Amino acid sequence: MMIAFALWTVIDCTANALAMFLNGAHIIRPQLLTVGVFVVLAIPIKIAVIGRYGIAAIPLVTVAIYLLTLAVVYTVSLRAAILNILSGKVSAQNVVDPAV
């Protein structure tokens, strides 16, 4: 169970850093939709898993659902934001500080 919590902590910290970048780049809608999907999937699956495998499986289920939902959207959103910067559609300064 400790290994599962350690894995979850690393994934959560990484995702939070990426979320801060996406917030700064004003890429909010995909995050909100994805978090909604994550919650809708996570709660019933966790309840089902507790009954069958016990509470020790919760971190592993959280990691699996998180990777299936949020990691995919973050990867696509980050790729799009970086490609926009590299193509010159948006300057890096505007991504970092939109007031400029």
Side-chain angles (χ1 to χ4, degrees):
M1 190 162 167
M2 291 295 286
I3 293 171
F5 273 119
L7 180 63
W8 166 243
T9 301
V10 170
I11 290 171
D12 187 41
C13 290
T14 303
N16 285 334
L18 295 175
M20 292 302 132
F21 173 78
L22 292 174
N23 289 341
H26 301 288
I27 304 171
I28 307 296
R29 183 168 289 157
Q31 292 182 78
L32 293 175
L33 294 173
T34 306
V35 168
V37 171
F38 172 75
V39 169
V40 167
L41 288 174
I43 292 174
I45 292 173
K46 286 180 182 182
I47 291 170
V49 166
I50 287 175
R52 178 172 275 192
Y53 299 106
I55 199 162
I58 296 297
L60 294 174
V61 170
T62 304
V63 167
I65 297 169
Y66 203 83
L67 290 176
L68 289 173
T69 57
L70 286 126
V72 171
V73 172
Y74 283 175
T75 302
V76 171
S77 298
L78 280 173
R79 184 174 183 271
I82 291 169
L83 288 176
N84 283 338
I85 292 169
L86 294 176
S87 69
K89 292 180 184 175
V90 177
S91 73
Q93 182 63 31
N94 288 343
V95 170
V96 175
D97 185 10
V100 174

